[in-house]
Amino acid sequence: MGRLAQLPPYLFAEIDAARRAAAQAGRDVVDLGIGDPDRPTPEILLEAMAAAVRQPAHHRYAADRGSAALRQAIADYLLRRQGVTVDAEREVQVLIGSKEGLAHLPLALLESGDEVLVPDPGYPVYTQATILAGGVPRPFPLDPERGFLPDLEGLAGRIGPRTRLLYLNYPNNPTGAIAPPDFLRQAVRFGEQHGLVVVNDAAYLEVVLDGERPRSLLSVASLAEQRIVEFHSLSKMFNMTGWRIGFAAGSADLIRDLGRVKQSIDSGVFGAIQAVAAAALGPEGDALRTAVMAVYGPRRRLVQAALEEAGIAVFPASATFYVWARVPGGGDSLAFCRRVLEEQALVLTPGIGFGAQGEGWFRLSLTAPDARIAAAAERLRRL
Ligand code: MLT
């Protein structure tokens, strides 16, 4: 079967089509589907953009690894926030959003038929990108009993001679779980023992509730000795999903190989966006991020209370802006989400869209305006 024929339909495109159909039918739809922040990019970053866009140097092709200024800002950010030292020259690659890098990495690392361990439930891009690169996704379960951390002993049994890559995603989409440093250390050791590249999708590293700041995988690894790469995104940190800006940091050979793939595909990120990203990642960005994140706590409490009133069990998440909850009666998640859309004009994401282990669950994103979240809570109480 050809690669495209093997690709499952893209989850969020499907959900968006259902939402549009309901809206076109005149329904007042509340969309808690895709995780796309409702609030604008902070004003100070818009002002920085207005100035940067007027600089003619930014009108030309950008340097393909990313500007030296942004790569240095990334290295400084990782040191300040995570105590991680990376070489801005060799261990950092600027990306057109973290999704782009996550999706291109398998092209850099896989031969046709190589296997990739992907979390289930998990962000669909790990599977899709593996298929597009001619690889074979091997899902591994994340169980609620383990706080949605993989059982590494069980995972060892899934490794074959052609297994190359292990995708992790902490803080986790869709569940909101975080990985304690001990688990991250074990995962790095596991990768080393089995000759795997360990990838962490850290797009939600800064999307945290109260409590301890989640740790980067880079903070427990030696990039010179282990084969590790982590993907970061400014999308959720600064309400910048539409800007498309992220980065990879990791072992120099992996960064080099990812960069080689990208040289054949894209010509870098618009220089003005890189200039804004460099400013955002600086120390002044910390207060901006705190303000960006402040909206999610009250929204989560409201929605969680409504779900509990409706008798629906919720996973106690520590991070992300997602709520991961049980389908009442543990049933078919797609049928449940269809029914909620039909009866309550409320868009939720069925757990099955994240993999077989997501069945019996649904996800709700807290990225709608407060008034819409309040309306959603009202509708959830009626479930
Ligand atoms: C999600 O809803 O899972 C994310 O917004 C998708 C993405 O970041 O591409």
Side-chain angles (χ1 to χ4, degrees):
M1 198 179 3
R3 291 177 193 184
L4 270 188
Q6 288 176 54
L7 273 189
Y10 190 60
L11 174 65
F12 297 108
E14 299 270 294
I15 291 169
D16 201 48
R19 177 193 61 77
R20 261 183 288 123
Q24 269 161 15
R27 313 281 312 275
D28 172 28
V29 178
V30 179
D31 183 3
L32 305 185
I34 193 162
D36 186 4
D38 54 296
R39 301 187 70 218
T41 306
E43 184 62 28
I44 193 165
L45 301 183
L46 300 182
E47 283 163 18
M49 184 64 177
V53 83
R54 297 207 162 274
Q55 289 180 31
H58 293 324
H59 303 168
R60 312 194 67 195
Y61 285 125
D64 50 20
R65 281 179 306 143
S67 71
L70 177 52
R71 282 184 283 112
Q72 190 55 52
I74 290 165
D76 295 345
Y77 159 82
L78 288 172
L79 185 60
R80 190 177 78 253
R81 297 288 289 172
Q82 293 284 342
V84 166
T85 302
V86 295
D87 177 348
E89 262 310 300
R90 297 163 51 249
E91 295 174 336
V92 175
Q93 168 72 51
V94 172
L95 300 170
I96 312 171
S98 57
K99 179 180 182 181
E100 178 261 305
L102 285 163
H104 281 142
L105 188 72
L107 271 183
L109 302 184
L110 300 187
E111 300 297 336
S112 187
D114 282 349
E115 296 178 1
V116 176
L117 297 167
V118 296
D120 178 3
Y123 182 45
V125 170
Y126 318 133
T127 294
Q128 319 242 37
T130 299
I131 293 170
L132 284 174
V136 181
R138 295 279 181 229
F140 61 88
L142 302 182
D143 294 322
E145 296 73 29
R146 297 181 159 270
F148 294 109
L149 298 173
D151 165 16
L152 292 176
E153 261 174 46
L155 197 53
R158 290 170 196 261
I159 294 179
R162 301 206 55 185
T163 314
R164 301 279 176 258
L165 220 67
L166 165 63
Y167 274 106
L168 298 175
N169 168 213
Y170 292 100
N172 184 256
N173 176 16
T175 65
I178 63 167
D182 266 357
F183 170 80
L184 294 175
R185 264 185 223 104
Q186 286 163 21
V188 167
R189 248 199 323 271
F190 179 86
E192 204 174 12
Q193 276 163 2
H194 295 280
L196 304 178
V197 171
V198 182
V199 182
N200 188 38
D201 173 0
Y204 298 92
L205 196 62
E206 298 278 10
V207 186
V208 287
L209 310 176
D210 310 334
E212 217 178 305
R213 189 186 298 168
R215 293 273 294 277
S216 154
L217 186 70
L218 305 173
S219 72
V220 299
S222 156
L223 295 187
E225 286 160 34
Q226 288 137 345
R227 305 193 75 213
I228 305 290
V229 59
E230 188 164 73
F231 289 87
H232 294 250
S233 168
L234 278 81
S235 288
K236 276 96 190 192
M237 280 196 224
F238 297 111
N239 300 335
M240 290 176 79
T241 50
W243 297 54
R244 309 315 302 139
I245 180 81
F247 60 90
S251 308
D253 62 321
L254 302 175
I255 294 294
R256 181 201 59 215
D257 292 350
L258 176 60
R260 286 192 61 202
V261 168
K262 285 173 58 58
Q263 277 168 352
S264 305
I265 293 177
D266 68 71
S267 301
V269 173
F270 181 28
I273 293 180
Q274 295 196 50
V276 175
L281 291 174
E284 313 76 44
D286 293 350
L288 293 182
R289 233 184 352 256
T290 304
V292 166
M293 298 313 155
V295 298
Y296 298 121
R299 290 179 185 179
R300 182 178 292 276
R301 285 190 284 279
L302 187 64
V303 165
Q304 192 153 332
L307 286 168
E308 281 161 8
E309 254 176 70
I312 293 177
V314 176
F315 176 70
S318 313
T320 79
F321 42 50
Y322 300 119
V323 176
W324 184 242
R326 293 264 190 197
V327 171
D332 175 334
S333 59
L334 195 57
F336 171 73
C337 291
R338 282 211 181 104
R339 176 170 75 77
V340 174
L341 181 58
E342 218 160 88
E343 292 176 3
Q344 306 292 343
L346 182 57
V347 178
L348 306 171
T349 307
I352 187 76
F354 297 98
Q357 296 286 323
E359 190 50 306
W361 295 80
F362 66 93
R363 191 193 79 174
L364 173 163
S365 174
L366 298 168
T367 52
D370 291 346
R372 303 304 280 162
I373 295 280
E378 218 23 72
R379 297 177 196 193
L380 290 170
R381 276 191 202 97
R382 289 189 227 128
L383 287 181

